[in-house]
Amino acid sequence: MRNVPAKQILAYALVGFFIIGAIGNILAPKTITEEYARWGYPDWFHFVTGSLELTSAILMARQASRTIGSLLAACIMASAIVTVIFHGEYTHAIAPAVVLGCLVLSVYLHRK
């Protein structure tokens, strides 16, 4: 069996997370569209979020563009944190904060 470095596992776990998030936001079941409406975003905004998440996943999948993809993903997570905190949904900020921390760690581990 081939040894896979932990930093690669973390990077690809983040890619998977953002692909799943992109699919969820692009397909947008009723619960997601209701959340976006509750937060005051336009009806189409979940497509923007999903597209940005998919773009960040694609960029993070390649070593050459991993840092820029991680920075885009970090902006998405920071925006999610700000949104839920602004609307008083403090416990909903935990997951994106953890992902943001994982993104920072991944960038740190992949630095040259």
Side-chain angles (χ1 to χ4, degrees):
M1 185 168 175
R2 190 176 131 194
N3 288 336
V4 179
K7 68 181 185 178
Q8 289 298 109
I9 294 170
L10 176 60
Y12 288 118
L14 287 165
V15 168
F17 174 85
F18 280 93
I19 288 172
I20 291 168
I23 292 168
N25 275 306
I26 291 169
L27 297 179
K30 187 176 180 181
T31 56
I32 290 179
T33 57
E34 288 172 349
E35 286 180 335
Y36 277 89
R38 185 176 71 242
W39 296 326
Y41 289 111
D43 293 343
W44 48 265
F45 198 74
H46 60 93
F47 292 116
V48 174
T49 304
S51 298
L52 289 171
E53 287 174 331
L54 186 57
T55 301
S56 68
I58 291 167
L59 290 169
M60 285 189 294
R62 296 196 60 229
Q63 176 69 37
S65 56
R66 185 160 294 146
T67 299
I68 191 72
S70 296
L71 291 172
L72 174 58
C75 290
I76 296 165
M77 290 296 100
S79 298
I81 292 167
V82 169
T83 295
V84 295
I85 287 176
F86 181 79
H87 291 280
E89 300 174 23
Y90 304 109
T91 58
H92 288 125
I94 296 169
V98 169
V99 174
L100 181 58
C102 290
L103 287 162
V104 170
L105 177 61
S106 182
V107 168
Y108 175 77
L109 293 174
H110 284 92
R111 72 191 190 290
K112 292 183 180 183

